[in-house]
Amino acid sequence: MPLVLAPIGQEVTIVKIVADDKTKKHLSNLGVLVQGTITVLSASGGSTVCRVKEGRLALDRNIASHIYVG
C-alpha cells in the first residue's frame, strides 16, 4: 500500500520506492530506504509527517504516494 494510506502510529517496512533515480538518491540520503522502517505520525493537507530512524520528515503527497509499505 502507498505510504499515504498507512495507519498513523504504526511502524511499517518500506517494500518499494517508485521514483526516478534522483528522487531515490535524495530519499536514501534522508534515511528512506527499501527494507527500512517508517512510521506515519500525521497526514493532513498535502503532507505526510513520518518518523525515520530518530528524525522527523515531512513528505508531500506526491512523493509519499510513490513509497510503498507493507
Side-chain angles (χ1 to χ4, degrees):
M1 85 181 104
L3 184 61
V4 294
L5 299 178
I8 293 175
Q10 182 177 339
E11 188 174 88
V12 292
T13 302
I14 300 169
V15 294
K16 181 169 59 169
I17 299 174
V18 180
D20 59 44
D21 288 338
K22 181 179 176 184
T23 303
K24 284 182 183 179
K25 182 172 169 94
H26 180 65
L27 289 171
S28 172
N29 289 337
L30 295 171
V32 180
L33 302 164
V34 174
Q35 299 301 317
T37 58
I38 191 167
T39 304
V40 176
L41 300 175
S42 70
S44 63
S47 64
T48 303
V49 178
C50 304
R51 181 177 336 142
V52 180
K53 299 186 182 184
E54 274 114 53
R56 288 185 180 194
L57 179 64
L59 300 169
D60 75 358
R61 187 168 184 82
N62 183 37
I63 291 178
S65 65
H66 288 91
I67 299 172
Y68 290 86
V69 297

